[in-house]
Amino acid sequence: MSERDLLARSLAAVWHPCTQMKHHERVPLLAIARGEGPWLEDTAGRRFLDGISSWWTNLFGHCNPRINAALQDQLGRLEHAMLAGFTHEPVVALSERLSARTEGHLGHAFYASDGASATEIALKMSQHYWRNCGQPGKNRFLCLEGSYHGETVGALAVTDVAIFREAYAPLVRPAATVASPDARRAEPGETGADVARRAADQLEVTLARAHREIAALIVEPLIQGASGMVMYDPEYLRQARALCDRYGVHLIADEIAVGFGRSGSFFAYRQAGIRPDLLCLSKGISGGYLPLSTVLCTEDIYRAFYDDALGRAFLHSHSYTGNALACRAALAVLDIFDEDAVLDANRERARWMGEYAGELLAGRPVRHLRQRGMILAFDVAGADRDFPARYFAAGLDQGVLLRPIGETVYLMPPYVLDRALTRELVARAVRALDASLPPG
Ligand SMILES: *Cc1c(COP(=O)(O)O)cnc(C)c1O
């Protein structure tokens, strides 16, 4: 099939995600033929450095030989079996190893296939916990301003993105939003921790008033990804944890984007020295190979459902719950973390990324250059509405895949770049910036 044919047929038959399809009259679609390490190659043979890990999923490069080998082995044993009434080795091993990554604090794993479903599971689990504990009135949720927890109808309730909320408002029972601890809001002389304490004060006012109706607060620990890599001080998580304890409200950590080493620690919440009651994981969990998500919970939550009555059980299932192939890919990902001391190597990679960004962005109209672990972001002064599309196109011309969010350009590469490729990534990002700066 020629590239032209493939693109035309895709536009006719495939409805692409979060895309105004008419835009593709002007903006070309790319047909990807293969991937290798941090590179994606299109059907015309053009190569792009994957600067955003294919929507934050890919941790160890495309077509990773070790993950491929694990999946090939698993394919010869068991591809899938239903998880109600059945179990299998990959799902048991994965649950135990994820629990161990929380020091056993979150010892029960419930599985689904995508991030939004993990959010829905955490919300349902929290509400049902309170119901089982004789407090059925606790069935509302709190989320942060600018939060993103997925786009299914239930997850939209805790997703504070105006364009989604408006379009689907009649379907959604929205959560209350509390102030974001966005460190960019620091007044002169204030630190990020000061902003965090101010936001926590507002959270306390809301909890003091409404805790009898609130089941849980859901947060993206340290980095609010989809609203533009908003970074905040760990102090917020410490205060939020203490307030949730004081007011009897669950703390849900949505680490779908920031888990698996992205923030610099294996889980981001660890940097605050706290523990959530529920932890949502997806995206990087399978190294970007297969759809998989999980919610880990505490013994206390699990026990509230353990009973003779079916009505007190957690009533939720997906056909592909605990898919054996996806679990095996996740085990291969954990093996790589263990065998390669990935978190240590990433500290070095993160340092290179920060150094080159500081050096190569000097003199450009950017502000709020910020970084946590393997995410680096900056805001482009005077970015207009068309900036993200213009930058994306300029990036492709430079052989790099980057998709700004509004005025924010961010780098979130797979954990495979050496020093030279890290410099190359930053250099291409800066050349794309020069080619797409707002006029004037
Ligand atoms: C991507 C994301 C989700 C949703 O995951 P999907 O697999 O796209 O449904 C939820 N929460 C956060 C923080 C995310 O980044």
Side-chain angles (χ1 to χ4, degrees), residues 210-262:
H211 65 96
R212 280 175 208 84
E213 284 114 59
I214 294 170
L217 163 71
I218 184 167
V219 296
E220 297 160 84
L222 301 184
I223 303 141
Q224 295 185 274
S227 56
M229 300 302 153
V230 171
M231 298 190 187
Y232 63 87
D233 194 278
E235 178 63 14
Y236 185 76
L237 295 176
R238 282 189 286 275
Q239 302 255 345
R241 176 71 274 178
L243 290 169
C244 285
D245 287 342
R246 185 167 340 138
Y247 287 102
V249 164
H250 289 139
L251 179 63
I252 303 172
D254 174 355
E255 298 224 5
I256 290 166
V258 298
F260 292 88
R262 187 52 78 178

Side-chain angles (χ1 to χ4, degrees), residues 362-393:
R364 306 281 190 313
V366 303
R367 20 173 220 195
H368 300 303
L369 177 60
R370 55 196 182 273
Q371 182 177 13
R372 194 175 282 279
M374 292 296 287
I375 305 178
L376 182 140
F378 55 86
D379 299 345
V380 176
D384 53 328
R385 224 170 40 131
D386 296 330
F387 170 74
R390 222 167 42 234
Y391 185 98
F392 172 67

Side-chain angles (χ1 to χ4, degrees), residues 56 114-116 119 148-150 220 254 256-257 282-283:
W56 320 350
D114 54 70
T119 296
Y148 180 94
H149 298 288
E220 297 160 84
D254 174 355
I256 290 166
S282 187
K283 290 205 166 105

Side-chain angles (χ1 to χ4, degrees), residues 15 89 115 181 205 233-234 241 258 267 303 307 311 333 338 350 361 375 377 382 418:
W15 200 336
E89 200 169 317
V205 171
D233 194 278
R241 176 71 274 178
V258 298
F267 294 131
R303 282 288 142 198
D307 194 88
V333 163
D338 292 342
L361 283 169
I375 305 178
D418 61 13

